[in-house]
Amino acid sequence: MQTIEPAYNKKCACRFCKKSFTTKKIRSRFVKVSSFDSDFCPNYIEGLNPLHYYIHTCPNCGYSESDDFSPYFPQGALELIKSKVADAWMPHDYSQERSIQDAISTYKLAIYSGTLKNEKHITLAGLYLRLAWLYRSIKNTVQEQRFMKLAIKEYMDSYMGDDFKGSQVSETRIFYLIGELSRRTHQIDQAVKYFSKVIEKQTHTTEPKLIEMARERWYEIREEQKTASN
């Protein structure tokens, strides 16, 4: 009987150079989550980490993206990607099992590619947040903090520009994430402000769990402030 492996090869066609390549993906039946952190970071029990394979990186030109990227390239984007990414690319193949450092490199390539082609703020926010999670997994607090702050900025820009509409991220979730990432980056006043925005939505939300989580975080902050004042 044939043994099914946790990882499989997904065929991709690079949207930039049009060449074909493969990238690893993890079969969902092998993904086992033990818990989630308060900013939704999944903690996996064992085996391969799906977060490592979230990005598709073309080995031929270096253009990198996630499934959330738009197929559209605005005017001038192709030229920018050619000069900034493809022309500087040293061929590297990320199609095999990825180390944590490989995964980090692919996220940085995707963030760079996405910035050059003016991807939506909501898409870039998700990349920064996942990159922060990867740094958390290796206890690199400095870089985790750095990328959480960048995620906050992108979530704020997404909300201000309404570019999250049509995505899987609701307004309530954006408010919660800004609050929670602000709390984790020690921006307490901002955290309280956004948790309050979440709680205000309790009478007309389809995400009661987010209301409960925001209320828990808000109480935690208040208790910490009381302890500090005593």
Side-chain angles (χ1 to χ4, degrees):
M1 193 167 110
Q2 187 178 6
T3 303
I4 297 176
E5 295 295 327
Y8 67 95
N9 290 324
K10 177 183 177 180
K11 291 182 179 179
C12 300
C14 178
R15 286 188 175 131
F16 175 75
C17 73
K18 310 302 181 188
K19 292 183 180 177
S20 297
F21 65 98
T22 61
T23 189
K24 281 269 188 286
K25 289 290 182 184
I26 311 301
R27 290 184 170 90
S28 58
R29 75 179 77 174
F30 291 97
V31 177
K32 298 177 182 178
V33 180
S34 60
S35 62
F36 289 92
D37 294 347
S38 53
D39 61 352
F40 309 116
C41 174
N43 298 299
Y44 296 102
I45 295 173
E46 58 187 16
L48 299 176
N49 186 334
L51 285 173
H52 291 194
Y53 305 93
Y54 186 73
I55 304 300
H56 317 145
T57 295
C58 176
N60 304 294
C61 69
Y63 175 72
S64 304
E65 64 178 13
S66 71
D67 288 336
D68 295 325
F69 273 45
S70 164
Y72 172 69
F73 287 80
Q75 187 174 1
L78 291 170
E79 292 80 2
L80 269 176
I81 292 168
K82 182 180 185 302
S83 64
K84 301 287 188 181
V85 178
D87 288 351
W89 179 242
M90 300 291 287
H92 192 98
D93 188 359
Y94 290 103
S95 66
Q96 301 306 310
E97 186 172 333
R98 291 177 185 172
S99 67
I100 183 71
Q101 293 302 328
D102 287 337
I104 285 170
S105 295
T106 64
Y107 276 88
K108 290 181 176 178
L109 284 165
I111 287 167
Y112 193 40
S113 297
T115 301
L116 291 174
K117 74 184 288 275
N118 288 323
E119 272 300 328
K120 288 184 174 182
H121 293 294
I122 195 66
T123 302
L124 293 174
L127 296 181
Y128 281 127
L129 180 57
R130 288 173 175 83
L131 185 49
W133 293 345
L134 291 183
Y135 277 115
R136 184 180 304 166
S137 73
I138 56 174
K139 297 180 170 52
N140 187 330
T141 305
V142 172
Q143 292 301 320
E144 179 194 352
Q145 290 274 315
R146 175 191 171 199
F147 287 107
M148 284 194 294
K149 288 175 181 176
L150 288 166
I152 291 170
K153 181 182 184 303
E154 293 296 335
Y155 279 123
M156 286 181 164
D157 288 345
S158 177
Y159 174 68
M160 295 300 291
D162 273 351
D163 80 1
F164 66 94
K165 292 185 175 175
S167 76
Q168 295 181 328
V169 184
S170 67
E171 181 180 89
T172 306
R173 180 171 282 243
I174 284 183
F175 286 164
Y176 176 81
L177 279 167
I178 293 173
E180 176 56 13
L181 297 178
S182 296
R183 185 184 74 86
R184 285 175 173 267
T185 53
H186 315 294
Q187 302 174 77
I188 301 304
D189 289 346
Q190 182 167 281
V192 169
K193 174 184 174 181
Y194 279 90
F195 286 142
S196 296
K197 284 178 179 286
V198 176
I199 295 166
E200 285 167 9
K201 290 182 169 290
Q202 61 188 325
T203 56
H204 50 275
T205 185
T206 56
E207 300 170 291
K209 180 63 177 174
L210 285 176
I211 308 298
E212 180 186 335
M213 290 173 71
R215 192 175 282 117
E216 288 172 358
R217 302 289 88 72
W218 190 88
Y219 280 126
E220 284 173 10
I221 290 171
R222 193 172 69 168
E223 289 304 310
E224 286 170 3
Q225 289 176 331
K226 281 182 181 177
T227 302
S229 65
N230 291 333

Short mmCIF file of all heavy atoms in Angstrom, two decimals, residues 53-76:
data_model
loop_
_atom_site.label_atom_id
_atom_site.label_comp_id
_atom_site.label_asym_id
_atom_site.label_seq_id
_atom_site.Cartn_x
_atom_site.Cartn_y
_atom_site.Cartn_z
N TYR A 53 5.65 27.14 4.02
CA TYR A 53 5.37 26.92 2.60
C TYR A 53 4.26 27.83 2.08
O TYR A 53 3.66 27.56 1.04
CB TYR A 53 5.04 25.45 2.37
CG TYR A 53 6.14 24.55 2.88
CD1 TYR A 53 6.08 24.03 4.18
CD2 TYR A 53 7.28 24.30 2.13
CE1 TYR A 53 7.12 23.26 4.69
CE2 TYR A 53 8.31 23.53 2.62
CZ TYR A 53 8.23 23.01 3.90
OH TYR A 53 9.26 22.25 4.40
N TYR A 54 4.03 28.91 2.78
CA TYR A 54 2.95 29.84 2.42
C TYR A 54 3.28 30.64 1.16
O TYR A 54 2.40 31.08 0.44
CB TYR A 54 2.72 30.78 3.62
CG TYR A 54 1.54 31.71 3.50
CD1 TYR A 54 0.24 31.23 3.62
CD2 TYR A 54 1.72 33.08 3.31
CE1 TYR A 54 -0.85 32.09 3.54
CE2 TYR A 54 0.65 33.94 3.23
CZ TYR A 54 -0.64 33.43 3.34
OH TYR A 54 -1.71 34.28 3.25
N ILE A 55 4.58 30.83 0.91
CA ILE A 55 5.05 31.65 -0.20
C ILE A 55 5.53 30.78 -1.36
O ILE A 55 6.20 29.78 -1.15
CB ILE A 55 6.21 32.57 0.26
CG1 ILE A 55 5.77 33.44 1.45
CG2 ILE A 55 6.71 33.43 -0.91
CD1 ILE A 55 4.61 34.35 1.18
N HIS A 56 5.19 31.19 -2.58
CA HIS A 56 5.71 30.55 -3.78
C HIS A 56 6.84 31.43 -4.32
O HIS A 56 6.59 32.59 -4.66
CB HIS A 56 4.64 30.41 -4.87
CG HIS A 56 3.31 29.97 -4.36
ND1 HIS A 56 2.12 30.41 -4.89
CD2 HIS A 56 2.97 29.13 -3.34
CE1 HIS A 56 1.11 29.87 -4.24
NE2 HIS A 56 1.60 29.09 -3.29
N THR A 57 8.04 30.90 -4.38
CA THR A 57 9.17 31.66 -4.90
C THR A 57 9.67 31.02 -6.19
O THR A 57 10.06 29.86 -6.20
CB THR A 57 10.32 31.70 -3.86
OG1 THR A 57 9.87 32.44 -2.72
CG2 THR A 57 11.55 32.39 -4.43
N CYS A 58 9.66 31.79 -7.26
CA CYS A 58 10.12 31.28 -8.55
C CYS A 58 11.64 31.12 -8.52
O CYS A 58 12.36 32.10 -8.25
CB CYS A 58 9.71 32.24 -9.67
SG CYS A 58 10.34 31.74 -11.29
N PRO A 59 12.16 29.92 -8.79
CA PRO A 59 13.61 29.72 -8.76
C PRO A 59 14.33 30.39 -9.93
O PRO A 59 15.54 30.58 -9.90
CB PRO A 59 13.76 28.20 -8.83
CG PRO A 59 12.52 27.73 -9.53
CD PRO A 59 11.43 28.67 -9.10
N ASN A 60 13.56 30.76 -10.95
CA ASN A 60 14.16 31.33 -12.16
C ASN A 60 14.41 32.83 -12.07
O ASN A 60 15.41 33.33 -12.58
CB ASN A 60 13.26 31.04 -13.37
CG ASN A 60 12.98 29.56 -13.54
OD1 ASN A 60 13.89 28.79 -13.84
ND2 ASN A 60 11.74 29.15 -13.32
N CYS A 61 13.47 33.55 -11.40
CA CYS A 61 13.60 35.02 -11.36
C CYS A 61 13.51 35.61 -9.96
O CYS A 61 13.81 36.79 -9.77
CB CYS A 61 12.53 35.66 -12.26
SG CYS A 61 10.83 35.46 -11.62
N GLY A 62 13.05 34.82 -8.98
CA GLY A 62 12.97 35.31 -7.61
C GLY A 62 11.65 35.95 -7.24
O GLY A 62 11.40 36.25 -6.06
N TYR A 63 10.77 36.19 -8.23
CA TYR A 63 9.47 36.78 -7.90
C TYR A 63 8.74 35.84 -6.93
O TYR A 63 8.66 34.64 -7.15
CB TYR A 63 8.63 37.00 -9.16
CG TYR A 63 7.24 37.50 -8.85
CD1 TYR A 63 7.04 38.80 -8.42
CD2 TYR A 63 6.14 36.65 -8.97
CE1 TYR A 63 5.76 39.26 -8.09
CE2 TYR A 63 4.86 37.10 -8.66
CZ TYR A 63 4.68 38.40 -8.22
OH TYR A 63 3.42 38.85 -7.89
N SER A 64 8.19 36.42 -5.88
CA SER A 64 7.57 35.62 -4.81
C SER A 64 6.21 36.18 -4.46
O SER A 64 6.01 37.40 -4.44
CB SER A 64 8.46 35.63 -3.57
OG SER A 64 9.76 35.18 -3.87
N GLU A 65 5.27 35.28 -4.16
CA GLU A 65 3.92 35.72 -3.81
C GLU A 65 3.23 34.63 -3.01
O GLU A 65 3.68 33.49 -2.94
CB GLU A 65 3.11 36.03 -5.07
CG GLU A 65 2.87 34.82 -5.97
CD GLU A 65 2.02 35.14 -7.20
OE1 GLU A 65 1.81 36.33 -7.50
OE2 GLU A 65 1.58 34.18 -7.85
N SER A 66 2.10 35.02 -2.41
CA SER A 66 1.22 34.05 -1.76
C SER A 66 -0.04 33.91 -2.61
O SER A 66 -0.22 34.63 -3.60
CB SER A 66 0.84 34.53 -0.35
OG SER A 66 -0.05 35.64 -0.44
N ASP A 67 -0.93 33.02 -2.20
CA ASP A 67 -2.18 32.84 -2.93
C ASP A 67 -3.07 34.08 -2.85
O ASP A 67 -4.02 34.22 -3.63
CB ASP A 67 -2.96 31.63 -2.38
CG ASP A 67 -2.30 30.31 -2.74
OD1 ASP A 67 -1.57 30.28 -3.75
OD2 ASP A 67 -2.53 29.32 -2.02
N ASP A 68 -2.77 34.98 -1.90
CA ASP A 68 -3.58 36.19 -1.73
C ASP A 68 -3.19 37.31 -2.69
O ASP A 68 -3.89 38.32 -2.77
CB ASP A 68 -3.46 36.71 -0.29
CG ASP A 68 -4.05 35.73 0.71
OD1 ASP A 68 -5.04 35.07 0.40
OD2 ASP A 68 -3.48 35.63 1.83
N PHE A 69 -2.09 37.15 -3.41
CA PHE A 69 -1.65 38.21 -4.32
C PHE A 69 -2.61 38.35 -5.50
O PHE A 69 -3.18 37.37 -5.98
CB PHE A 69 -0.25 37.91 -4.87
CG PHE A 69 0.87 38.40 -3.99
CD1 PHE A 69 0.85 38.20 -2.62
CD2 PHE A 69 1.97 39.04 -4.54
CE1 PHE A 69 1.90 38.64 -1.81
CE2 PHE A 69 3.02 39.49 -3.75
CZ PHE A 69 2.98 39.29 -2.38
N SER A 70 -2.75 39.58 -5.96
CA SER A 70 -3.55 39.85 -7.15
C SER A 70 -2.77 39.44 -8.40
O SER A 70 -1.54 39.61 -8.45
CB SER A 70 -3.87 41.35 -7.22
OG SER A 70 -4.31 41.70 -8.50
N PRO A 71 -3.46 38.93 -9.42
CA PRO A 71 -2.76 38.62 -10.68
C PRO A 71 -2.40 39.87 -11.47
O PRO A 71 -1.63 39.82 -12.43
CB PRO A 71 -3.79 37.77 -11.45
CG PRO A 71 -5.11 38.18 -10.89
CD PRO A 71 -4.87 38.51 -9.46
N TYR A 72 -2.95 41.01 -11.04
CA TYR A 72 -2.77 42.26 -11.78
C TYR A 72 -1.46 42.96 -11.41
O TYR A 72 -1.12 43.07 -10.25
CB TYR A 72 -3.95 43.20 -11.47
CG TYR A 72 -3.82 44.60 -12.00
CD1 TYR A 72 -3.87 44.85 -13.38
CD2 TYR A 72 -3.63 45.67 -11.14
CE1 TYR A 72 -3.74 46.14 -13.86
CE2 TYR A 72 -3.50 46.96 -11.61
CZ TYR A 72 -3.55 47.18 -12.98
OH TYR A 72 -3.42 48.46 -13.46
N PHE A 73 -0.74 43.42 -12.41
CA PHE A 73 0.47 44.21 -12.22
C PHE A 73 0.19 45.63 -12.68
O PHE A 73 -0.05 45.86 -13.86
CB PHE A 73 1.64 43.63 -13.02
CG PHE A 73 2.22 42.36 -12.47
CD1 PHE A 73 1.58 41.14 -12.71
CD2 PHE A 73 3.38 42.36 -11.71
CE1 PHE A 73 2.10 39.95 -12.21
CE2 PHE A 73 3.90 41.18 -11.21
CZ PHE A 73 3.26 39.97 -11.46
N PRO A 74 0.20 46.60 -11.77
CA PRO A 74 -0.05 47.99 -12.19
C PRO A 74 1.06 48.49 -13.10
O PRO A 74 2.14 47.90 -13.18
CB PRO A 74 -0.10 48.76 -10.87
CG PRO A 74 0.63 47.91 -9.90
CD PRO A 74 0.44 46.49 -10.33
N GLN A 75 0.78 49.60 -13.75
CA GLN A 75 1.75 50.18 -14.68
C GLN A 75 3.09 50.43 -13.99
O GLN A 75 3.14 51.02 -12.91
CB GLN A 75 1.21 51.48 -15.26
CG GLN A 75 2.08 52.07 -16.36
CD GLN A 75 1.44 53.29 -17.01
OE1 GLN A 75 0.36 53.71 -16.62
NE2 GLN A 75 2.11 53.86 -18.00
N GLY A 76 4.16 49.97 -14.62
CA GLY A 76 5.50 50.18 -14.09
C GLY A 76 5.98 49.09 -13.16
O GLY A 76 7.19 49.01 -12.87
#
